[in-house]
Amino acid sequence: MNVPVENYLVLAALIFAIGCAGVLTRRNFIVILMSVELMLNAVNLTFVALSRQLVSMDGQMIVFFVMTVAAAEVAVGLAIFLAIYSQRRTVNADEISLLRW
Amino acid sequence: MEPSALGNVASLAYSLPEIVLGAAVVLLFLLDLVVTRKETLGDVALVTLALVVVLSARLLWGDSAALYNGAVVVDGFALFFKLLLALAAFATVWMSLGSREIQKNGTGEYWAVLLASTLGLLFMASSTNLLMAYLALEFVSLTSYVLSGFMRHSRRASEASLKYLIYGGVASGTMIYGMSWVYGLAGSLDFRAIHTALMSGQGAALPLYVALLLTLAGLGYKVAAFPFHMWAPDVYQGAPIPVTAFLAVGSKAAGFALMIRFFFTAMAQSVGAGVYQLVGGVDWSQLILVLSMVTMTFGNLAAVAQQGNVKRLLAYSSIAHAGYMLMGFAVLNDDGLRAMLFYLTVYYLMNLGAFVVVMLVANSTGREDLAGYRGLAWRGGALPAVAMAIFLFSLTGLPPLAGFVGKFYLFAAVVEKQLYLLAVVGVLNSVVSLVYYARIVRTMFLEQPTGGEGVVAVDWHNGLLLGLLTIGTLVLGVAWGPLIDFAGRSTHFLAY
């Protein structure tokens, strides 16, 4: 069975949109970070699908780097969450609002 | 006349600045384990960056070359930015050595992470491949998150770092999604190959437009342009002052470098005499033009409304300046580029100088709000007050200061291209910006201290840096010839 590339691209676009929606609507920073990771996974799916379509390895290669960067981002993110949590006992977006107008 | 890209080993000779910087990062992490006096590490960082400046300057007399099989290049444009970025990092390290915020939280990693961030900035200025560009940008982002949250026990700094991380993650995720579309449309990650594909009419205009919009999110976030600016006020206010200065000057310049290179080499075609033409049927110069007007107007209006924190006010001012610099981008020729490069250099001097004054006041009094500047000139801070006035009037663009010359070249390029609406909006914005810059100057000179503000002392170390930046701002206001010539020569991209 041969799945056309459009299907992958549409699926990736949907996942990306779900990630965006998650970032915008969720209030817990850990869930927000997970939504960002979802966006990056949509990117990976797009790259892999296009890579097969174009018969070029560039797309597959970049996916490895995107995954590594995503892992690094999570590591830094969780470290910051820990610092925040030890100060305020919360990682809720509504309660972290020292910096305003 | 088609030199090909050098291989990995042959490229090493051209990458001395990066090699030195990378080695210094590792060395600093190791030294941190054995050295007890942490300022020593700062001195090492300072010497390293001076060396990087010298090594980058030496390459100016060498040939341009495409390195590492076309991942990065060394050309006039990249070297201009490398020099500017290394100098920005140099001044940041100098500032950090005299900052009480940094000393109080003194650990050795700060210097290593700062140098690592600088390494990322150098790669941003020279990458010619979407993968390299993405990695360099993410490297700078990740180190910046750490730097801005560096005061671990400060609630303000942690919050700034958290917001930076979330906005940054979304912006760079959006950017790489856009890049994946560009890859799909052009079939390659290489700027030159993308250019060739678009020239041959490959790729439909509408998806390309969407891809560019998405890509612009990540780049616009680095330079703090309008719809992607939300992080800037919070992060600028929360981060330690030297880090704020580094983000305002370094990250912004590198963001512009990457943006210019991507749009001018992949999405445009040089038609001779320093004029570029769009390729791929996407009118991005119109888009940048609108972005420029909206960005400067928003930045200035928000700054006028901002009454309290001076760092936050400078954040809005830096958003407005991103808008001014985008004017040079929208005109799509070498004159505009030259004006941008010149303005970035001038901006480096005057904006960093303003942050040095903010740091001096915070060092002595621990205050960053406007009320903390009341009568600054009359309580020991005459030198910083005068310097601040010079920087702020230069940021406004008043003659005979460097900021005036920079704005003059920007407006000249815009008027020459007959973009009168943009020029009018730019001039009106400059007038509006006088309102809030002059408010600070008035507070410093015309209001009398009430007694509770404390005395502001200037040590020789910070005073020297302040003096150098002030002299730079004054000298470039009357003798700008050599720099504008250098900027003009640096607008050439290597077409390998």
Side-chain angles (χ1 to χ4, degrees), chain B residues 75-140:
Chain B
D75 56 8
F77 181 77
L79 285 175
F80 181 92
F81 274 97
K82 281 186 186 179
L83 280 172
L84 180 64
L85 295 167
L87 283 172
F90 181 80
T92 308
V93 171
W94 192 335
M95 260 178 98
S96 309
L97 280 167
S99 160
R100 269 198 35 210
E101 279 175 323
I102 301 295
Q103 279 160 8
K104 260 194 307 195
N105 296 274
T107 55
E109 296 111 47
Y110 173 79
W111 311 104
V113 177
L114 189 58
L115 287 200
S117 196
T118 313
L119 182 60
L121 294 178
L122 296 190
F123 277 118
M124 266 174 89
S126 54
S127 53
T128 51
N129 179 298
L130 287 179
L131 173 58
M132 197 62 215
Y134 172 68
L135 287 178
L137 192 135
E138 276 291 354
F139 191 39
V140 172

Side-chain angles (χ1 to χ4, degrees), chain B residues 49-398:
Chain B
L49 286 168
L51 192 60
V52 170
V53 172
V54 173
L55 288 173
S56 306
R58 237 177 43 129
L59 288 172
L60 282 173
W61 283 274
D63 304 328
S64 301
L67 310 179
Y68 304 104
N69 302 309
V72 295
V73 288
V74 169
D75 56 8
F77 181 77
L79 285 175
F80 181 92
F81 274 97
K82 281 186 186 179
L83 280 172
L84 180 64
L85 295 167
L87 283 172
F90 181 80
T92 308
V93 171
W94 192 335
M95 260 178 98
S96 309
L97 280 167
S99 160
R100 269 198 35 210
E101 279 175 323
I102 301 295
Q103 279 160 8
K104 260 194 307 195
N105 296 274
T107 55
E109 296 111 47
Y110 173 79
W111 311 104
V113 177
L114 189 58
L115 287 200
S117 196
T118 313
L119 182 60
L121 294 178
L122 296 190
F123 277 118
M124 266 174 89
S126 54
S127 53
T128 51
N129 179 298
L130 287 179
L131 173 58
M132 197 62 215
Y134 172 68
L135 287 178
L137 192 135
E138 276 291 354
F139 191 39
V140 172
S141 295
L142 287 171
T143 45
S144 305
Y145 305 150
V146 177
L147 286 175
S148 50
F150 192 73
M151 299 186 294
R152 219 172 42 245
H153 303 292
S154 153
R155 295 164 69 107
R156 217 184 49 177
S158 308
E159 182 177 329
S161 170
L162 177 72
K163 288 185 172 166
Y164 200 10
L165 173 90
I166 298 296
Y167 286 132
V170 173
S172 65
T174 311
M175 181 184 75
I176 188 76
Y177 189 56
M179 286 178 173
S180 74
W181 279 37
V182 173
Y183 169 65
L185 291 166
S188 173
L189 296 170
D190 190 60
F191 287 3
R192 187 178 57 152
I194 294 172
H195 178 85
T196 316
L198 293 181
M199 280 297 280
S200 66
Q202 196 182 325
L206 182 65
L208 192 61
Y209 203 96
V210 176
L212 278 190
L213 277 180
L214 294 169
T215 310
L216 207 54
L219 298 169
Y221 144 85
K222 268 279 162 254
V223 303
F226 170 65
F228 323 108
H229 67 279
M230 288 92 85
W231 60 275
D234 288 348
V235 174
Y236 280 35
Q237 187 184 344
I241 298 163
V243 174
T244 309
F246 185 64
L247 294 179
V249 175
S251 276
K252 195 187 283 281
F256 272 121
L258 184 52
M259 204 163 158
I260 293 172
R261 194 183 285 280
F262 178 63
F263 279 94
F264 277 77
T265 62
M267 298 287 167
Q269 162 80 4
S270 172
V271 289
V275 179
Y276 288 81
Q277 209 172 43
L278 302 163
V279 297
V282 178
D283 192 357
W284 53 262
S285 73
Q286 201 65 29
L287 184 72
I288 299 281
L289 193 146
V290 174
L291 207 64
S292 159
M293 291 197 283
V294 177
T295 303
M296 65 174 108
T297 310
F298 172 84
N300 278 320
L301 291 181
V304 168
Q306 178 62 37
Q307 302 277 359
N309 190 295
V310 174
K311 263 160 91 189
R312 205 174 174 83
L313 190 142
L314 285 174
Y316 286 117
S317 132
S318 117
I319 295 171
H321 278 86
Y324 296 139
M325 286 184 252
L326 283 174
M327 290 199 304
F329 201 103
V331 298
L332 211 61
N333 59 28
D334 273 355
D335 283 347
L337 281 185
R338 184 182 66 166
M340 260 180 107
L341 297 193
F342 183 81
Y343 201 84
L344 273 167
T345 316
V346 171
Y347 181 73
Y348 155 68
L349 293 171
M350 55 195 185
N351 206 37
L352 210 79
F355 278 113
V356 173
V357 176
V358 171
M359 186 184 77
L360 283 171
V361 173
N363 271 355
S364 300
T365 63
R367 294 180 69 168
E368 290 169 358
D369 54 328
L370 193 57
Y373 288 73
R374 201 179 291 136
L376 180 65
W378 318 117
R379 50 189 170 96
L383 174 70
V386 170
M388 186 70 157
I390 291 174
F391 296 136
L392 292 178
F393 284 133
S394 180
L395 283 166
T396 319
L398 293 182

